[in-house]
């Protein structure tokens, strides 16, 4: 059986086609998603198949779209709202956090909000300050939300399918540079379980906790370091909330060392959260201080070499790993 | 008591009873707040009863509403159980939200109440999405979105109105213009006399109605419902009214001029409807009975609520997430 | 080249030169994007030049504007230096923002340009606050807020318009209705024919103008300026126009019907103004000179920009915070 | 000289009066802040003194108010916007993060945005799900913002004065339960420096990093534990961005133990960030794993005993401290 390869954008598109076919309550809303199939073609072909009531080119009003998604979810639909660029989530934080995330709890557990908010994280291509942010840390800090960031086409299709079927509000962030990356994707229906990390590379020396684009930085660093005899264990978290602390903890207990990679800003980022969780979970197994490899605490600049300077690079990860393996003076 | 039926053409006496239930509920709620049995806040609907009762009298049971921080009146008018409402606002297990939500968050989807919302204007987009969802399900149920004059200036309302217009969503926007938003008069928060005119900017009808006249409220709602169910899209109804009480039970400074308050007190919707009923031949005593009935219903609700158990603190972390495969305790970070 | 003067009553020839500068700039920018000298995106203002040039021709140098993702035209019209603009959009140290901002974020407060904003409608509230701040400083400078037809449906614009009305802020809202928002026609994102009518909902005037007629744009702006400077509050000007190019240099699918595009091409504002000048006796050759001058200015700007140094990556973490006592490197988390 | 005592609300009010008097560019905007002086009287008396152009009862439109603040700051004013309840910041995240926080950087350092956003954090009194959040973690994760949360009237006045004079956008969060707490406050002009923590209690056994209401939990726990001979060192961070890692690090180097207290939700919270920073800064000085005492990961429920159950209590802190002082089996 030859393995079929798709881009991540195609994989996501298949997930949407599959779920819209399967469940008439699934519908998609967003800017420029119907007629042209979205700027990144993730919603391509849906309008022709499912019509304008289920595939909606919405007016530019992100908060309204998210709020409408919540309302439709409350009456039993499974809306999927696309943010053209993930930064625009800033406009929707009230509908997302004060509404989607809390409605179930505030109702005493009586209602469910099966709602997916997808968006493209667009750093790395010069889109500059207002189009390059990745804010997963905010969502992790909003009880009631599920947060997913896939790194491969396979995971993307399976996780988006799982997200749509999940009865909770899900924020699903797609790194734009990954849309065109290819990988094997089975045809038809499958899910990748939410809350389960995936070990993308086994190793014995240092655990790398990562997700989305960070996984690819880690894989590249892993190849480089293997040449020096250093074996990374790469744990692709895939979902940030819930976090698969078990898999990550087991890996850290094995290697005794942890590097966390995140493209989010450093202060208050997901990397900090993961360090704190591992401190709770596996402190005594740590042979050295966990290290965070993150974006710097700046807005994202436009010029190429500036953007590169503030975003985490493979070299930063390599340096972090080799730094923690050096014998510490006096210990 | 059993929850009020909201089906069919209720008689004026029935409408009066519902209005009195709201008022009696709010009076007791304010007292319970003073007695510290209710925490947080209570925003009484007193003086505005004709709006919710008139609008909801036109609805079918399978129609929906969204509500606000000042939501008790909408709940009662939609037929929610006073007992479970009262239990909620004093924070007991038998409350609609098991004590999680409190006064500003009563939700009862099974009765068409999508939820009260303490974010001013926050539920407007929810209403639009719910309406669209109902349409997809092939239902002609309509969603009514209540909001205040103060809420009219929030961005989300603009987005919701425009989206509703574009989708021809089966929504009715009901602006409860009670002239004030806490200490800010509507005249200071906009430069226009009638919020209803904003509907033109979305391409659907805007209607000004007397919010203290329950029959007028029912009638304008009926017209809007016909439009909505026919797929012709939303209507904005601006109900001119007034809150006779202060903004909330916790309000310390109230700027409303005495004359203004007096003028509106004279137009009290309950007073007006009672007078009308008497003029049409109903016995004064019957009016008294209706009030007594409402007060008795509320007393019963308070008794029920106070007897209801307090929620178990150990369950405080439940229900953040809906059940799911991944949702086993140890995976939850 | 030196930056175009925008003081006083510019002659039509001067206005044509400004319009040509915008067009020539955009043509080169699209080429440079193709050549990968510009990253991210370029949203050309081609076809809409009469709006920015007409509006800005009415302004004083101490008036302000806020701009959008499609902001180059506003910058040129406001008199910004083509060299520093070009250096910015190719990401060099001599750019207006030292290469930090790029095409969508050119800022030059010293020239009354408060900033381009890549959040659709995002700068509308900024404009209102800037106007209020100017008033507090005793200045009668006016702030013009440019935004698109697509932007008109964003909540923040509603809030900004209402706030401006309430404050009688010296703001002019200029809606550049170019009929499309990426792939979404204005007719699909609202149910109204003229966005200008929304002004009524805020209690200030709304005017529809021919956005391809630079003189009309200048005239309606002048009227709005008088109003604003007198303290009578904002005006909404809806400029009907069209973008002749696709949404951005990166656009792959363009849904605009060929006939629609052709019809608007025939109404090209540069063409129209050129024709008018010729009709009024100006030599065809002079028109050609103006175009040549603009192209030369842009060529000079490109040369300047390419010669400008690339920003030092070591400085990428500077300027996140303004200088302050606490702002020593080791305290910055 | 007898020490004058004020409530925190009065202290904040003095700071506003002082700065409005001193600088004609300072103005205040918010809901119900002019005529009635704000729900919590923090802006009392300003309208009478400075008039309706500088003390503005705004329409309910939080995003618009914040955006207007940014615009006024750009032309050289120093606006102070009040959020009646801090949760409403969800409505303003775009203006705050994509505008206020980034405008300077995106302009290449040419502009400044001297803007203060104040709001009341209202948990503890039954205001329920949409009125009880504390979201400082989000702001810490937004490069360009300064984040301040005072615990005493003295600090509140000095820090608000410093915030208004600072050339950066500041988010200033005031715990509502602290408004009525009294403490010594000097008359007249003074600032408390931004970015400098304050040791509210010296001790040798365990460092407690805290802020806002957390300081009072810590002080109470400190008194209880002192009776058992355990001496807490209580570091009131006061500003969360920039973080005074030096003072905190020195304390941890002394005690070897760290507990972090935060009323924010646990996942992705400020407590996680502080643990990660101390892991960077003083890992080798730690004698045991740092512990976080935080709110639970839920929306805030209404009923009193539920709200208490999800918010961190003095007992939780005491248990955390005694837990980390118990001899660990096998070590
Ligand atoms: C987004 C938001 N801003 C502010 C508040 C605080 N607040 C509660 S009620 C209210 C006034 C609302 O006025 P209006 O919409 O006219 O409703 P009314 O209270 O008059 O019924 C305000 C400002 C809030 N709850 N939500
Ligand atoms: C808040 C926000 N939503 C979406 C986008 C993506 N986007 C960029 S331009 C654009 C269309 C804007 O249309 P319009 O306001 O009509 O301006 P035009 O491009 O036609 O000049 C969109 C959706 C954005 N930049 N910001
Ligand atoms: Mg009101
Ligand atoms: Mg447009």
């Amino acid at each position: 059986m030859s393995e079929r390869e798709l881009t991540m954008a195609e994989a996501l598109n298949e997930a949407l086609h599959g779920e819209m076919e399967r469940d008439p309550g699934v519908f998609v809303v967003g800017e420029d998603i119907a007629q042209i199939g979205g700027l990144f073609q993730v919603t391509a072909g849906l309008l022709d198949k499912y019509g304008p009531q289920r595939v909606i080119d919405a007016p530019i009003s992100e908060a309204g779209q998210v709020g409408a998604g919540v309302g439709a979810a409350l009456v039993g639909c499974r809306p999927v709202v696309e943010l053209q660029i993930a930064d625009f989530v800033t406009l929707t934080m009230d509908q997302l956090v004060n509404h989607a995330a809390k409605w179930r709890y505030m109702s005493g557990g009586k209602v469910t909000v099966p709602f997916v908010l997808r968006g493209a994280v667009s750093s790395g291509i010069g889109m500059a300050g207002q189009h390059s942010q990745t804010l997963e840390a905010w969502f992790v800090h909003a009880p009631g939300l599920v947060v997913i960031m896939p790194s491969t086409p396979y995971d993307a299709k399976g996780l988006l399918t799982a997200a749509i079927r999940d009865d909770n509000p899900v924020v699903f962030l797609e790194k734009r540079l990954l849309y065109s990356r290819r990988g094997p994707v089975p045809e038809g229906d499958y899910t990748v379980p939410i809350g389960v990390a995936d070990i993308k590379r086994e190793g014995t020396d240092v655990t790398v906790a990562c997700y989305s684009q960070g996984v690819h930085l880690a894989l590249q660093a892993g190849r480089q370091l293997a040449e020096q005899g250093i074996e990374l264990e790469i744990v692709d978290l895939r979902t940030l909330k819930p976090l698969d602390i078990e898999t990550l903890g087991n890996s850290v207990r094995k290697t005794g060392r942890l590097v966390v990679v995140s493209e989010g800003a450093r202060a208050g980022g997901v990397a900090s959260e993961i360090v704190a969780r591992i401190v709770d979970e596996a402190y005594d197994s740590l042979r050295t201080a966990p290290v965070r490899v993150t974006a710097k605490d700046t807005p994202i600049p436009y010029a190429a070499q500036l953007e590169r300077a503030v975003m985490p690079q493979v070299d930063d990860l390599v340096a972090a790993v080799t730094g923690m393996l050096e014998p510490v003076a006096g210990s | 008591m059993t929850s009020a039926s909201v089906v069919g053409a209720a008689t004026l006496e029935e409408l009066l009873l519902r209005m009195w239930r709201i008022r009696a509920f709010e009076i007791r709620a304010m007292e319970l707040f003073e007695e510290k049995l209710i925490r947080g806040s209570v925003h009484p609907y007193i003086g505005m009863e004709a709006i919710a009762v008139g609008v909801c009298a036109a609805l079918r049971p399978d129609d929906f509403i969204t509500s606000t921080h000042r939501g008790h009146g909408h709940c009662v008018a939609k037929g929610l159980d006073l007992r479970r409402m009262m239990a909620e606002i004093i924070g007991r297990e038998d409350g609609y939200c098991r004590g999680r939500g409190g006064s500003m968050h009563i939700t009862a989807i099974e009765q068409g109440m999508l939820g009260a919302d303490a974010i001013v204007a926050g539920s407007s987009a929810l209403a639009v999405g719910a309406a669209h969802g109902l349409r997809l399900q092939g239902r002609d149920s309509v969603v009514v979105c209540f909001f205040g004059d103060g809420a009219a200036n929030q961005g989300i309302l603009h987005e919701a109105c425009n989206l509703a217009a574009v989708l021809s969503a089966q929504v009715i926007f009901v602006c409860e213009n009670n002239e004030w938003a806490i200490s800010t008069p509507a005249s200071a928060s906009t430069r226009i006399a009638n919020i209803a005119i904003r509907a033109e900017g979305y391409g659907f009808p805007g209607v000004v109605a007397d919010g203290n006249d329950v029959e007028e409220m029912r009638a304008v709602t009926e017209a809007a419902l016909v439009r909505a169910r026919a797929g012709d899209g939303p209507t904005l109804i601006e109900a001119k009214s007034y809150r006779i009480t202060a903004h909330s039970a916790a309000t310390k400074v109230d700027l409303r001029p005495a004359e203004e308050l007096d003028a509106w007190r004279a137009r009290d919707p309950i007073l007006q409807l009672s007078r009308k009923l008497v003029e049409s031949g109903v016995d004064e005593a019957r009016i008294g009975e209706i009030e007594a009935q409402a007060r008795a219903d509320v007393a019963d609700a308070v008794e029920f609520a106070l007897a209801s158990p307090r929620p178990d603190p150990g369950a405080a972390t439940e229900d953040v997430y809906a059940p799911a495969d991944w949702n086993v305790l140890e995976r939850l970070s």
Side-chain angles (χ1 to χ4, degrees), chain A residues 32-55:
Chain A
D32 309 292
I33 63 143
Q35 296 228 73
I36 62 168
L39 291 198
F40 314 116
Q41 298 299 298
V42 174
T43 52
L46 295 175
L47 176 65
D48 284 348
K49 269 218 184 120
Y50 304 104
Q53 293 286 340
R54 289 180 66 198
V55 186

Side-chain angles (χ1 to χ4, degrees), chain A residues 53 64 99 105 145 166 168 277, chain B residues 117 132 159 316 321-322 326 333:
Chain A
Q53 293 286 340
H99 293 81
Y105 187 83
L145 297 181
D166 197 277
N168 293 287
R277 290 298 302 278
Chain B
D117 195 339
H132 187 74
E159 299 187 7
Y321 291 93
W326 53 266
S333 70

Side-chain angles (χ1 to χ4, degrees), chain A residues 228-256:
Chain A
Q228 304 168 37
I230 299 169
E231 296 298 335
L232 298 186
E233 175 138 307
I234 299 177
V235 181
D236 181 353
L237 299 168
R238 300 197 292 199
T239 38
L240 300 174
K241 182 80 172 271
L243 187 73
D244 184 354
I245 191 68
E246 206 178 303
T247 301
L248 184 61
N250 286 340
S251 177
V252 172
R253 276 184 283 272
K254 183 173 81 174
T255 63

